[in-house]
Amino acid sequence: MDLDPLSSFASRHARKLYVGVYAAAVIYFIASVASYYDSRFGFTSLAHFGYSKIETQNQALLRTSHYIHPNNSGFEGQFYAANALQPFGEAESVSNFHLRRILFSWTAFVLGTGNPDWILQAYCIQNFIFWLGSAWLLLYWFPPTHWQNLIRYLGTLFSLGMVSSLQFALLDGPSLFLILLAMRWLERGLPWLGTIALGIAGLGKETNLLAAASLAESGSETKSVSRIIITAVPLTVWIAWIVISLGSPSSHLPDRQYIDFPLLGFAKAILGNLKDAGETSFPASFYLKLALMIAIVIQGFYLLAIVKQDSLWRRLGIAYCVILALTGKDLWLDEQATIHRIGLPLLLCFNVLFTRDNRFFLVLVLANISSLIGVSQLDLPKIENQTRMSGDVGIVYDFDQRAYRDIKFEEGWYIEERSKKRYWRWSSGTGSITALNSTDENIAGSLNFILKTLNSRELIVSVNNNEVWRYLTESGYSEKLRVPITLLPGENVIKIASPQLASRISPDPRALSFALYDFDLEVRYESQTH
C-alpha cells in the first residue's frame, strides 16, 4: 500500500510540475511587465526621465511624449534613451560615458523604425524582450527536470540585478543575454561566433568585455589572444568615431566612488551598514542588506575555490570577481542595486558551476536570495498626474522650489482619487483650475483628460473667462479629449462647467456632475510675445 501518494504522484509527474512552475514564472513576469503600461505614457516611466539638463536641452527628446518623474533628476536610463533618438552620437547633454554605451540605443532605434515616440517605447521595453531571450537560453543549462535547476533558473531570471535593470531601463539585463548567447556558442565549439557576440556586447557596456576572459584557452594562447583582441575592436572603432566626429564629449560622472583598492569598497560598505544600523537599533533592513552582500561573497568564494582551470565559466566568473573586488562603496550601497547588476554574470557562473550535492541546499538558496527581493520589487510604479513639456517653457517646474507650480485645483472639486493605474477628480458642477505661466510670453498647449459622467450633459471650458471649448457627452467614459488653451503670462484661471444638475448615487453623499480621468496639462512654446 502506498503510504505517501503525494510523493508518488510528484515522482511520476515531476517534469510536468517543473514545466508548470517555469511557465507560471514566465507568465507572472509578463503580467508584471504589462502592468507598467500607462495609457498616456506607455512604458516610458521605466527610463526614469527627470528634471535634468537632458530634459530641458535635448530637442529630440522634447518633441516626444514621455513620463517625467517628479522632484528628481532621473536616472541613467534617460541618457541611453536619448541616445536612441539620435543614434550616431548627436544627442545633446549626454556624456562620453553614456555615448560609448550605444548598442541598446541602436537596437531601440531599429525596433522603433525611426519614429521618436516608438523608439522611446522600444528602448524602455527591450529589457523585457531580452529577458525572454535569456529565459529561453537558460533552459539549456537549467532544464525543468530537478528542483535545483528550478532554484538556479528562477534565481537568475528574478535576481535583483535583472529586475532593477528592467525597472530602470538599464543595460545589464540585455547584456546578460549576449553573454549567454556567446557562452552557448563557445560550448558548442563555435568560438568565432562567441567572439563576435562578445565584441557586440562590448558596445552595450564596456565591462561586458570582461566576458572575453572565457576565450582564454590553455594550449592555444595565440588564438585566445587574437579572439580577445577582436572582441575589443567594435568598441574601439565606435570610440574613435565619437572622438573624430564629435570631438571629446564630456566624460563627467556623478560624484561617487566607483573604484577602490581591492575589497576596500566592500569593507567600507559593511562598516557603513553597521554604523547606520547601530544608530537605528539594527532594523530588519540591515540584516537583509547583509544577506545580499553575503550572497555575492558566497558566489565569488566558490568560483575562486573550485579547481576547474579549463572551465570557461570559471574564467568568466573570476573576471567579474576581480571587478567586484575593485568596486567602490557607493556602488555597494546605492538603492538601484548597482552591485547586483554588475555581478549578474557572476551569479550566472555560480549557478552553472555550483555543486549538485543536496547537502549544500541552503548555500544555493542563500547565494540566490536576491531573487526573493527581485520578485517583491516587481510592483507597479506610481504614475503622477503632471504637466507634459514639449518646449522650453516656464510652466512645468520650479527648479528653485523643487516643486510643481503650474496647476492647482481650486473650488468645485472633490479630493483626488486613484487606483493602481488611474487617477481622477469629481466635480460638483463648476470646477476651477489655476495655472501659472512664469514666463513673459504666451504658452500654448492643451488640457487632456478622459471624461466620465453619470448621465448626458454638456461641458464648457473657459480660460480667463473666455470660452474655448464646448462638448456634449453621453453617460460613461469618453475617449481621450484634448482642449486647446493659451496661457498668458502670470496666473490663468481655467473653468470647467456643466449646466445640468449634479446627480447623487447612494450611499455616496456627494453631488457628482463629471469627473476628469488621467488629466494632464500639455504645453509647448508659442513664439508670439506680449
Side-chain angles (χ1 to χ4, degrees):
M1 181 171 138
D2 191 351
L3 297 178
D4 192 354
L6 182 60
S7 176
S8 176
F9 172 84
S11 64
R12 291 196 311 269
H13 301 280
R15 184 173 179 83
K16 291 182 181 178
L17 288 172
Y18 293 133
V19 169
V21 174
Y22 276 47
V26 172
I27 291 170
Y28 170 74
F29 191 84
I30 293 172
S32 298
V33 173
S35 71
Y36 284 78
Y37 179 79
D38 180 80
S39 60
R40 296 155 297 146
F41 304 110
F43 292 97
T44 57
S45 66
L46 294 171
H48 282 254
F49 292 101
Y51 288 94
S52 60
K53 285 185 178 180
I54 194 170
E55 185 60 45
T56 57
Q57 297 179 10
N58 189 292
Q59 296 304 309
L61 186 60
L62 290 173
R63 290 190 288 269
T64 65
S65 175
H66 56 278
Y67 181 72
I68 305 171
H69 286 262
N71 300 323
N72 66 62
S73 58
F75 198 57
E76 282 192 34
Q78 64 183 323
F79 300 106
Y80 305 123
N83 282 343
L85 296 172
Q86 297 169 298
F88 295 102
E90 317 97 313
E92 300 96 331
S93 304
V94 176
S95 71
N96 186 17
F97 175 79
H98 299 105
L99 276 178
R100 66 176 181 255
R101 298 178 166 191
I102 196 64
L103 175 63
F104 300 111
S105 298
W106 284 346
T107 56
F109 183 83
V110 172
L111 289 171
T113 64
N115 181 295
D117 286 303
W118 292 2
I119 290 169
L120 283 190
Q121 299 297 334
Y123 176 79
C124 293
I125 202 63
Q126 66 181 347
N127 252 278
F128 168 65
I129 297 171
F130 284 108
W131 186 94
L132 291 176
S134 295
W136 171 65
L137 286 173
L138 283 171
L139 290 173
Y140 174 74
W141 294 282
F142 312 129
T145 56
H146 195 275
W147 61 264
Q148 284 210 20
N149 284 346
L150 176 66
I151 293 174
R152 297 165 199 254
Y153 185 76
L154 299 184
T156 304
L157 287 175
F158 287 89
S159 65
L160 189 54
M162 286 287 272
V163 171
S164 65
S165 179
L166 167 77
Q167 290 185 315
F168 292 94
L170 295 170
L171 314 173
D172 308 272
S175 293
L176 188 71
F177 169 80
L178 291 177
I179 292 172
L180 279 168
L181 189 62
M183 298 301 278
R184 180 72 181 103
W185 279 332
L186 291 174
E187 287 193 336
R188 292 179 62 186
L190 302 169
W192 288 111
L193 282 178
T195 300
I196 292 170
L198 292 177
I200 293 172
L203 287 169
K205 275 183 76 178
E206 61 281 352
T207 53
N208 291 341
L209 293 179
L210 289 169
S214 60
L215 299 171
E217 299 180 45
S218 58
S220 55
E221 287 76 8
T222 302
K223 287 184 179 179
S224 298
V225 171
S226 299
R227 290 168 185 159
I228 291 171
I229 291 173
I230 288 172
T231 61
V233 169
L235 179 60
T236 302
V237 171
W238 173 242
I239 291 175
W241 165 266
I242 293 174
V243 173
I244 293 171
S245 61
L246 303 176
S248 182
S250 168
S251 59
H252 173 70
L253 291 174
D255 185 17
R256 304 169 74 190
Q257 188 175 0
Y258 284 88
I259 298 176
D260 210 329
F261 291 105
L263 297 179
L264 190 56
F266 173 77
K268 289 177 180 177
I270 290 285
L271 292 174
N273 272 333
L274 281 170
K275 179 178 179 293
D276 293 341
E279 294 172 350
T280 54
S281 302
F282 290 91
S285 60
F286 162 74
Y287 298 100
L288 179 59
K289 291 177 183 177
L290 189 62
L292 290 172
M293 296 176 77
I294 290 173
I296 296 176
V297 172
I298 290 173
Q299 298 160 22
F301 180 80
Y302 182 79
L303 288 171
L304 291 170
I306 60 174
V307 182
K308 289 188 177 180
Q309 298 294 340
D310 60 342
S311 167
L312 58 88
W313 285 105
R314 183 170 183 265
R315 292 192 295 270
L316 172 63
I318 288 176
Y320 280 87
C321 285
V322 172
I323 194 65
L324 288 172
L326 296 173
T327 301
K329 80 174 176 63
D330 290 342
L331 299 189
W332 282 94
L333 294 176
D334 77 1
E335 297 179 357
Q336 286 79 34
T338 300
I339 203 68
H340 295 279
R341 289 188 283 104
I342 294 172
L344 264 175
L346 174 61
L347 173 63
L348 171 65
C349 294
F350 173 86
N351 281 330
V352 171
L353 295 177
F354 188 65
T355 177
R356 297 281 171 164
D357 191 330
N358 291 341
R359 292 175 298 175
F360 296 96
F361 162 72
L362 290 178
V363 178
L364 178 64
V365 171
L366 182 55
N368 284 278
I369 196 171
S370 79
S371 61
L372 300 179
I373 312 303
V375 170
S376 69
Q377 289 192 358
L378 271 175
D379 54 353
L380 187 67
K382 184 179 180 182
I383 303 295
E384 302 281 358
N385 50 292
Q386 61 177 247
T387 301
R388 291 188 291 168
M389 177 172 63
S390 52
D392 185 13
V393 296
I395 191 173
V396 177
Y397 192 70
D398 187 321
F399 285 92
D400 293 329
Q401 299 296 322
R402 296 187 61 80
Y404 288 103
R405 296 185 59 203
D406 53 322
I407 180 170
K408 294 180 181 178
F409 283 79
E410 309 283 5
E411 298 86 1
W413 300 99
Y414 296 108
I415 191 170
E416 180 182 306
E417 303 170 72
R418 64 171 58 244
S419 64
K420 283 188 175 182
K421 299 188 70 172
R422 312 190 75 178
Y423 57 87
W424 62 93
R425 278 184 183 268
W426 279 99
S427 171
S428 57
T430 300
S432 296
I433 299 172
T434 299
L436 175 66
N437 174 0
S438 58
T439 74
D440 58 359
E441 300 183 342
N442 287 355
I443 293 176
S446 62
L447 182 64
N448 310 321
F449 54 86
I450 294 172
L451 182 66
K452 182 181 180 181
T453 59
L454 302 177
N455 45 40
S456 299
R457 62 178 56 250
E458 188 176 31
L459 204 71
I460 303 167
V461 178
S462 62
V463 180
N464 299 324
N465 295 320
N466 297 314
E467 182 179 320
V468 297
W469 190 78
R470 187 179 289 256
Y471 183 77
L472 186 64
T473 182
E474 301 297 325
S475 61
Y477 293 93
S478 72
E479 72 239 12
K480 186 76 172 186
L481 302 173
R482 299 173 65 89
V483 180
I485 59 174
T486 298
L487 301 179
L488 306 179
E491 196 169 81
N492 296 261
V493 177
I494 304 171
K495 284 191 175 180
I496 306 176
S498 177
Q500 287 79 25
L501 292 176
S503 303
R504 296 181 184 273
I505 300 179
S506 180
D508 193 330
R510 298 176 299 176
L512 304 177
S513 178
F514 59 88
L516 305 187
Y517 273 69
D518 300 340
F519 48 84
D520 62 63
L521 181 63
E522 182 178 5
V523 292
R524 60 186 180 276
Y525 181 76
E526 186 177 79
S527 59
Q528 71 183 71
T529 61
H530 265 60

